[in-house]
Amino acid sequence: MGMIFFASPVWADAVADGRKIMTEGGGGVIACATCHGVNGEGMAAAGFPYLAGQGATYLAEQLKNFAAGERHNPVMEPIAKAMNPAQIEAVSIYLSQLPKPYDALALTNMVETYPDKSAMGAWVANRGDWDNNIPACIQCHGPGGVGVGASFPALAGLPANYMRQQLIDWKAEKRPAGPLSLMGDIAQRMSDQQISAVADYFGGLPAGAATKAAVTTKSGAR
Ligand code: HEC
Ligand code: HEC
């Protein structure tokens, strides 16, 4: 079953079907809202990532990976396995057009071009670690980690423990490396300390966005 973004009546059907799977479930599939929230905003305290506003292609790919047993999680694997391709496509389209659960503008304005180098998370996120061939995370995930296009998911405000686990899984080759193996290769080169620090940095972003934006403006940094 191919992607159907350009046929608008079909797209409208997909959105309606997707909303139903999200809020009510169906055909043996649990309602996603139970864990990911009615607006796809996630439940940070429980470690359930937000899905709202992530790219449809990215989301569908993750569901296929869980279903194929290539991305591992004891909760999500059986749920994805119970979904048929049309359900995966519909719910991914629906979720991708829900409003993002963070203030993208405030976060984008918060470009910490030169954070304090002793703040490892902020430094790696915004400057990278070129001695170890690690590009700045914001180069692909956007300033403030708001995500870019359909393939680079947002990171801002994802549960820190969730992000840590993803990076550890990539390092251990337990999560598919993603498009062009970009993310898998980067995680391979990260130290455990860097993984922990960037996960905490992006996990803490939305709450601190307003203050940090003000500080950045005052210091004259771009
Ligand atoms: C019982 C709780 C629960 C339910 C219900 C649930 N999920 Fe999840 N979901 C999780 C957890 C936990 C994770 C994190 C998995 C991991 O650590 O890899 C997750 C992760 C995901 C991801 C990966 C997100 C990312 O950023 O890579 C997608 C996509 C997803 N879920 C979609 C769905 C959909 C669609 C449904 C409904 C059909 C659903 N989930 C129902 C708990 C749940
Ligand atoms: C060259 C581009 C690129 C750079 C630089 C990059 N990423 Fe990624 N990242 C990706 C892609 C592509 C994906 C989607 C992978 C997939 O489809 O499975 C991704 C996904 C992720 C995810 C998964 C999000 C989720 O919802 O599960 C995390 C976490 C992540 N990246 C963290 C980082 C961190 C931390 C850095 C900086 C050290 C970084 N990325 C730098 C391309 C990049």
Side-chain angles (χ1 to χ4, degrees):
M1 171 129 209
M3 281 292 177
I4 45 173
F5 295 116
F6 299 109
S8 51
V10 182
W11 191 85
D13 284 352
V15 169
D17 291 350
R19 181 188 298 118
K20 198 153 187 270
I21 297 163
M22 177 71 180
T23 54
E24 299 168 29
V29 179
I30 314 177
C32 322
T34 319
C35 295
H36 292 285
V38 273
N39 300 311
E41 73 277 23
M43 283 183 201
F48 303 143
Y50 61 75
L51 306 173
Q54 298 287 38
T57 313
Y58 171 78
L59 293 170
E61 199 56 34
Q62 301 315 308
L63 289 166
K64 288 174 199 161
N65 290 345
F66 283 127
E70 286 166 6
R71 180 174 165 182
H72 303 287
N73 179 266
V75 178
M76 271 317 294
E77 277 183 58
I79 293 173
K81 280 198 177 89
M83 298 178 81
N84 64 41
Q87 287 178 314
I88 287 183
E89 193 162 298
V91 83
S92 299
I93 291 173
Y94 175 67
L95 290 165
S96 71
Q97 49 85 61
L98 289 177
K100 298 171 192 297
Y102 47 84
D103 185 341
L105 188 62
L107 284 165
T108 305
N109 287 336
M110 194 205 65
V111 187
E112 291 176 319
T113 318
Y114 284 100
D116 185 343
K117 200 170 182 180
S118 65
M120 186 189 277
W123 186 267
V124 173
N126 294 286
R127 308 294 301 173
D129 171 12
W130 287 104
D131 291 346
N132 291 302
N133 209 9
I134 298 167
C137 315
I138 64 164
Q139 282 190 359
C140 291
H141 291 281
V146 297
V148 176
S151 302
F152 302 108
L155 304 178
L158 281 175
N161 282 337
Y162 166 79
M163 270 188 282
R164 217 177 331 267
Q165 191 59 50
Q166 302 314 307
L167 293 163
I168 289 169
D169 284 355
W170 268 312
K171 213 175 154 178
E173 298 185 6
K174 284 186 189 163
R175 176 173 164 170
L180 304 175
S181 186
L182 292 173
M183 201 50 232
D185 288 354
I186 292 167
Q188 295 282 328
R189 298 193 283 265
M190 295 178 77
S191 71
D192 293 348
Q193 290 92 321
Q194 287 175 324
I195 284 178
S196 226
V198 284
D200 286 340
Y201 172 75
F202 282 115
L205 272 187
T211 348
K212 283 179 187 159
V215 171
T216 307
T217 313
K218 232 187 265 168
S219 70
R222 212 171 52 82

